[in-house]
Amino acid sequence: MRQSAPKFVGALVTAWVACVSAAYAQTPWPSKPIRLVVPFPAGGFVDAVARQIQPQLQTALGQTVVIDNRGGAGGTLGASEVARSQPDGHTILLVFDSYALYPLTYLKLNFDVARDLVPVTQIASNPLILLTHAKVQAKDLETFVKLLKSEPGRVNYASVGVGSSNHLTAELFQSATATTMTHVPYRGGGPAQQDLVGGHIETMFLSASLALPHVKAGALNAIAQTGAKRSVALPDVPTVAERGYPGFEVNSWVGMLAPAGTPRDVIDRLHSEVRKILGDPKFAARLEEQGLVG
């Protein structure tokens, strides 16, 4: 019996879709350059981590990895763009720890943090360093706290945006020390640290990896660090806890995410390759020299 025209056409379409789907599933990944989105301007903590891992990731995947800085709105603009991108494994995102707080710090987001992006792996973490410009007459934590108490609100501190770890750590610090500072949010760590070095802002909690060069060059004073123990990269800088504020501990981290719907085998491959890179003793030692832990 002959099939009717509509049924025949429907059968052809079904067969065509099945063939295309099978071909797509068999396409090796990655099949084109990978866009690694950093949702902050160049020069910040997330950007620094991206540039550390980019060459190794290119070698491991056999494909070009392009870093794309998409700063703005505390990292939400870049995250939103990746959330809406094709879930084929060729667009991935690096995020700061503030990502976990987006639902609490932003009243309106055009993407769902828990639904639209999926975790791949954590890449690095480090403590924050309390830094001051040379014009601030305080070389240690005790003197700095006394200064803040003597002039409440006069000292300005920078952050990479509302709800960022820099911001929340400074708020926690003020609560612990019963002091008051004025918050000045920036679009990213790069612009913030430039203004700190230039003396346009007095103080900031900055990730150890970014603080290290400025401290070694003598451009900034390292007052204290927020980890549970002293960083190997800055062994002479005491922790906030050991200077009279027990229990004070903050660590900043960078993680990798992908759009929801990215094939499971792609997520697993990305996770595996990044963990192999971080497990390389030479790479791990290089991170540690910069105050980072993989």
Side-chain angles (χ1 to χ4, degrees), residues 170-244:
E171 293 298 317
L172 179 64
F173 175 79
Q174 291 173 90
S175 176
T177 59
T179 56
T180 303
M181 297 185 288
T182 299
H183 181 209
V184 182
Y186 283 74
R187 287 172 57 86
Q193 64 182 305
Q194 287 172 9
D195 272 8
L196 180 60
V197 172
H200 305 297
I201 203 88
E202 288 96 338
T203 188
M204 180 181 185
F205 282 91
L206 188 64
S207 61
S209 58
L210 298 180
L212 192 59
H214 302 303
V215 173
K216 286 187 173 181
L220 298 173
N221 299 318
I223 303 297
Q225 51 185 308
T226 66
K229 59 183 181 179
R230 299 188 185 193
S231 168
V232 174
L234 291 166
D236 296 328
V237 180
T239 67
V240 174
E242 70 182 90
R243 281 294 182 264

Side-chain angles (χ1 to χ4, degrees), residues 120-138:
V120 176
T121 187
Q122 179 175 305
I123 297 178
S125 66
N126 69 175
L128 299 176
I129 309 299
L130 174 57
L131 301 168
T132 60
H133 187 264
K135 70 179 182 182
V136 178
Q137 299 301 307

Side-chain angles (χ1 to χ4, degrees), residues 4-292:
S4 65
K7 290 183 178 180
F8 179 69
V9 172
L12 282 178
V13 170
T14 300
W16 177 79
V17 169
C19 289
V20 170
S21 298
Y24 180 78
Q26 294 169 9
T27 300
W29 177 89
S31 59
K32 61 182 179 180
I34 293 171
R35 185 164 69 111
L36 180 59
V37 176
V38 173
F40 298 98
F45 177 36
V46 182
D47 181 69
V49 171
R51 295 181 191 282
Q52 284 290 329
I53 204 166
Q54 177 201 29
Q56 284 75 17
L57 199 56
Q58 287 186 150
T59 300
L61 298 177
Q63 188 59 262
T64 301
V65 176
V66 179
I67 295 175
D68 186 2
N69 294 90
R70 297 277 174 169
T76 62
L77 294 184
S80 173
E81 182 176 330
V82 175
R84 297 193 304 268
S85 63
Q86 186 72 25
D88 59 5
H90 293 97
T91 301
I92 50 181
L93 174 72
L94 290 192
V95 294
F96 201 26
D97 42 62
S98 57
Y99 175 83
L101 299 174
Y102 284 169
L104 302 178
T105 52
Y106 292 92
L107 294 177
K108 293 183 179 180
L109 286 173
N110 60 1
F111 69 99
D112 188 297
V113 168
R115 184 191 64 210
D116 298 335
L117 290 159
V118 295
V120 176
T121 187
Q122 179 175 305
I123 297 178
S125 66
N126 69 175
L128 299 176
I129 309 299
L130 174 57
L131 301 168
T132 60
H133 187 264
K135 70 179 182 182
V136 178
Q137 299 301 307
K139 306 295 183 184
D140 57 64
L141 187 60
E142 292 82 357
T143 307
F144 185 58
V145 170
K146 288 180 181 178
L147 172 64
L148 296 179
K149 288 186 175 182
S150 68
E151 301 180 83
R154 187 190 68 77
V155 172
N156 297 319
Y157 75 90
S159 81
V160 302
V162 174
S164 65
S165 59
N166 318 80
H167 176 209
L168 298 181
T169 300
E171 293 298 317
L172 179 64
F173 175 79
Q174 291 173 90
S175 176
T177 59
T179 56
T180 303
M181 297 185 288
T182 299
H183 181 209
V184 182
Y186 283 74
R187 287 172 57 86
Q193 64 182 305
Q194 287 172 9
D195 272 8
L196 180 60
V197 172
H200 305 297
I201 203 88
E202 288 96 338
T203 188
M204 180 181 185
F205 282 91
L206 188 64
S207 61
S209 58
L210 298 180
L212 192 59
H214 302 303
V215 173
K216 286 187 173 181
L220 298 173
N221 299 318
I223 303 297
Q225 51 185 308
T226 66
K229 59 183 181 179
R230 299 188 185 193
S231 168
V232 174
L234 291 166
D236 296 328
V237 180
T239 67
V240 174
E242 70 182 90
R243 281 294 182 264
Y245 303 96
F248 192 102
E249 180 184 352
V250 177
N251 285 290
S252 183
W253 54 264
V254 171
M256 179 181 288
L257 305 176
T262 300
R264 185 72 248 174
D265 60 331
V266 171
I267 297 290
D268 291 344
R269 171 88 187 280
L270 270 172
H271 175 89
S272 175
E273 298 296 354
V274 171
R275 300 321 300 175
K276 286 178 186 176
I277 292 168
L278 296 175
D280 178 4
K282 290 183 178 180
F283 187 78
R286 193 157 71 246
L287 288 182
E288 192 173 66
E289 288 172 0
Q290 300 173 56
L292 294 167

